[in-house]
Amino acid sequence: MIGTVLAAVAGITAGGWSITFEEQSQRMALAYPDAEVALSGVLSFTSGGKDWRVAAPRDAVSSRLALVDPNDNVQGYLSFQADGGRLRILAYHRTAQAYEGVLTYAGETRFRPDAFACRTQPSPNDQVLRLASGDADSLLNDSLFSRAGDLALVFRAAGGVRLRAKGEAGHGFSLTGRIHEASEATFSIGVERDYYKSRYVPYYKPVDKKRCPRPPTGWMSWNVYFDTATAEDNLAEARLGKKYLQPFGLEFWSIESWQGNSDRLPVSKFYNMNLECNETQFPLGMKRLADDIRALGFRPGIWMAPFGTGSDAFYQAHKEWFLHRKDGSPISCWNGKYTLDPTVDEAVAHLRKIFDTASHEWGYEYFKIDGMSGRNHGYCAHLYERPEIKACFRHPECRDPFERCVRAFREGIGPDRVFLACQGHFTGPETASADASRTGADIVSPNCPVTWRNIMGQARCTLNQIFAHNIVFYADPDTLLVNDALDMEQARVTTTIVSLPGQMMFSGDKLAELKPERIRLLQQTLPVADVHPVALYPYFRDLPVWDLAVTRPFISYHVVALFNWEDKPKPIQVSMDDIGEPRDRRFVAYEFWTGSYLGETSFGVTMEVPARSVRLLAIHPVAPHPQYLSSDRHVTQGAVELKALAWKDLTLTSTVEVIGGFPMTVRYRVPAHFHLASCQVPDSVTAKTVMESPEVLAVTLETLATRDVAVSLKFDWRL
């Protein structure tokens, strides 16, 4: 470490970091050019209610700064130590002094353009799942993360870290620490390369937003039809989907159990490798079905399980492509009576060919590829790793058998198709090729209805793997089922689990059998909100509070889910500390599912939540004037439908997207002394206003065609 001092300006180098300090302004700039990191801020130190100064070195040790008391005596130092991309700043006493004080370093930082604020240090007793839509501020954030670079800029300070989003200007930061007899103040600012790759995702590749800009949404038959759905069953459902779900953004219609011999489980008996379809259920073939789906305005999708086959004829014709024990008997797996040998070039080339055919000749655009990681050796990622199976490969020395298959899938379907790795996992090669991963277990057992146990499994898989969602792939918690096998409270729970974190939403109910309020649940998940994790690590317990922080240029608020996972009612509490908000600020809350206005709070909210239920709160900072509160259009209560918001000249103007033919209600808080004078909307829009309570104004909007609607609410103010 070397340094120079020129006219009360200190220039210090520590590893790859450069430190510049100007004594007059008390401003310190830090730069780590190798990772495009730059910080500039003011250093301050207070002791006993008095301000001290930081000074350039006053002795021959040019690698540190000095802490100077009000009498102009040097009483301590700031030293700098670098370890790779990590810079440690230590404030320490000159001798065994008795003074105490608080050191602060506050300013702005520039990092990668795509970086968002997040948390990388787990809390041992954390009860909150942290999510964000937009670059959300929180007192709990301690890092910035760049998807494109898999880079984390990590801040640590014993007295606390504060990060604030500043749009294109980067982020504001504040680090605080206390120096006293028992300890010294320490800050650290570190660049962590390969944050995900070195911990969890060895095949790290950021999700491809050009190919798949948002989590896929759609419908698939298996969870209620199981293996019996015909082409006409799928099209009949698609006609209803076109009416009720397509206007809200449903994109794909995906076909399951279409292969030869696929009308009855197990999957191992299906003809999974030769594109032979079940002619009884799909008499016109799979290309025609794709064309019919596309004609209804959906993108066609297809399920495939290609790691083996149940076809004796195909096996006999290509026996050398399959795995055999030493005695010559075939090895079976979940995908087939006969399991593919992935070290055989001809077999892998065949995989590439069948996917190319389904994609470019049949016209399918979404591929759900099953039998990947799973949880045991019934699935091929596990099977191909087992020593006794490796010994049976044609080429036992092959180091990447499963990866060869995954690459072949992508090469076959092409660069412009969506690839869901069903039972894929962030630890494997799927992340390098797939756009999405089925992180959840099956939401139903074969030929059984959905149960509370299934929903709990869906929640646990979400909690465990959501930290990779919208980073390396889109998470698929499995199908959202809202039929009468669940009571309405449980249907709301699974809707919240799927939708609040911005996961994939595939419906799977018989739509004609759903009551209007159940169809409404599906509509309230569409389109999927752009949500990313804030806590960049997995959870391994049932968290009762899920917090989505929504940030737009014109509004910032929280959507907080209070889950009661138990079999009896209980109070669930969320404090402002829990969601990273200051205690000295007042907030107002509205509950989505029950339509309850909860009023103002500065500490938090406690609600009695029924057994196996959820309550969903919109929590806004209190404004001194009328303000946006909630919308019944979407679970996120504004993250999707609210396009603009402004208050000026006693007028609240909001722009919301209204789906043609489907009324929606927007709610606003109206403080005392404000009274609605008029509500103006475009001529083609119908608006009905009603005061649901002394402080809640509901405006119901309806239009024939989907459009953004400007709502202008003029208020009078009087005592």
Side-chain angles (χ1 to χ4, degrees), residues 366-416:
Y366 168 86
F367 287 82
K368 177 182 177 182
I369 305 176
D370 209 343
M372 291 199 161
S373 286
R375 288 165 175 78
N376 56 54
H377 63 271
Y379 283 69
C380 284
H382 290 275
L383 183 73
Y384 291 156
E385 294 172 352
R386 295 174 70 89
E388 71 273 19
I389 298 300
K390 284 179 172 288
C392 299
F393 288 160
R394 180 187 293 185
H395 299 288
E397 72 280 2
C398 179
R399 295 178 57 83
D400 61 346
F402 179 63
E403 185 180 353
R404 283 166 56 86
C405 298
V406 175
R407 287 199 304 265
F409 301 154
R410 170 53 71 189
E411 292 162 359
I413 67 176
D416 59 345

Side-chain angles (χ1 to χ4, degrees), residues 219 225 230-247 250 252-255 284 288-289 291-298 509-512 519 523 662:
W219 185 92
Y225 283 92
T230 64
E232 186 48 45
D233 289 331
N234 279 280
L235 292 172
E237 296 287 356
R239 294 181 192 106
L240 290 172
K242 180 178 179 65
K243 179 178 180 180
Y244 292 110
L245 300 178
Q246 192 179 92
L250 199 77
F252 293 100
W253 213 262
S254 191
I255 307 305
L284 301 181
R288 170 62 182 273
L289 183 53
D291 292 341
D292 290 343
I293 290 170
R294 193 173 288 105
L296 289 170
F298 293 106
D509 285 310
K510 293 182 178 180
L511 298 179
I519 288 280
Q523 294 169 341
F662 295 89

Side-chain angles (χ1 to χ4, degrees), residues 94-421:
R94 181 172 187 173
T95 58
Q97 303 292 325
Y99 66 85
E100 298 183 359
V102 174
L103 178 71
T104 301
Y105 180 38
E108 300 78 36
T109 179
R110 288 279 188 173
F111 190 37
R112 299 294 180 92
D114 68 321
F116 61 84
C118 59
R119 184 174 180 84
T120 57
Q121 187 170 29
S123 301
N125 299 313
D126 202 351
Q127 295 297 303
V128 181
L129 172 65
R130 308 188 191 287
L131 309 159
S133 180
D135 193 4
D137 291 336
S138 170
L139 294 174
L140 301 170
N141 291 337
D142 60 20
S143 304
L144 303 175
F145 179 73
S146 163
R147 287 186 187 91
D150 191 18
L151 280 174
L153 182 60
V154 178
F155 297 84
R156 297 288 184 260
V161 175
R162 181 75 170 99
L163 296 172
R164 285 188 171 90
K166 303 185 74 172
E168 294 183 358
H171 291 81
F173 71 88
S174 176
L175 309 179
T176 59
R178 178 173 292 276
I179 182 172
H180 54 84
E181 291 178 331
S183 69
E184 315 286 11
T186 305
F187 301 156
S188 102
I189 303 163
V191 175
E192 292 200 20
R193 299 184 183 278
D194 298 328
Y195 177 86
Y196 275 89
K197 184 176 182 178
S198 64
R199 288 169 170 79
Y200 313 109
V201 189
Y203 293 84
Y204 183 91
K205 185 178 181 181
V207 63
D208 189 336
K209 297 274 186 174
K210 291 183 179 179
R211 176 171 58 231
C212 193
R214 65 190 65 86
T217 59
W219 185 92
M220 49 86 81
S221 65
W222 191 82
N223 290 298
V224 287
Y225 283 92
F226 297 99
D227 302 290
T228 66
T230 64
E232 186 48 45
D233 289 331
N234 279 280
L235 292 172
E237 296 287 356
R239 294 181 192 106
L240 290 172
K242 180 178 179 65
K243 179 178 180 180
Y244 292 110
L245 300 178
Q246 192 179 92
F248 291 82
L250 199 77
E251 186 176 10
F252 293 100
W253 213 262
S254 191
I255 307 305
E256 302 253 335
S257 299
W258 56 271
Q259 298 93 332
N261 204 35
S262 66
D263 56 348
R264 186 171 54 190
L265 292 174
V267 172
S268 61
K269 293 184 178 180
F270 294 5
Y271 300 170
N272 285 318
M273 289 183 60
N274 57 348
L275 298 185
E276 176 183 339
C277 76
N278 187 314
E279 295 182 356
T280 301
Q281 294 172 224
F282 302 90
L284 301 181
M286 302 310 294
K287 181 183 185 306
R288 170 62 182 273
L289 183 53
D291 292 341
D292 290 343
I293 290 170
R294 193 173 288 105
L296 289 170
F298 293 106
R299 299 174 67 185
I302 194 167
W303 171 80
M304 298 177 78
F307 293 97
T309 186
S311 170
D312 296 332
F314 188 85
Y315 167 71
Q316 291 296 334
H318 305 284
K319 200 170 183 178
E320 69 279 8
W321 292 0
F322 295 92
L323 289 170
H324 300 87
R325 298 180 182 87
K326 298 302 181 184
D327 63 5
S329 60
I331 294 174
S332 63
C333 68
W334 180 85
N335 291 78
K337 292 193 298 180
Y338 312 104
T339 302
L340 181 84
D341 183 343
T343 72
V344 177
D345 289 344
E346 296 85 355
V348 174
H350 177 76
L351 292 180
R352 192 177 299 110
K353 179 181 178 181
I354 62 174
F355 279 96
D356 178 75
T357 298
S359 175
H360 301 107
E361 294 183 24
W362 291 0
Y364 286 89
E365 301 179 46
Y366 168 86
F367 287 82
K368 177 182 177 182
I369 305 176
D370 209 343
M372 291 199 161
S373 286
R375 288 165 175 78
N376 56 54
H377 63 271
Y379 283 69
C380 284
H382 290 275
L383 183 73
Y384 291 156
E385 294 172 352
R386 295 174 70 89
E388 71 273 19
I389 298 300
K390 284 179 172 288
C392 299
F393 288 160
R394 180 187 293 185
H395 299 288
E397 72 280 2
C398 179
R399 295 178 57 83
D400 61 346
F402 179 63
E403 185 180 353
R404 283 166 56 86
C405 298
V406 175
R407 287 199 304 265
F409 301 154
R410 170 53 71 189
E411 292 162 359
I413 67 176
D416 59 345
R417 302 308 204 217
V418 177
F419 172 5
L420 166 71

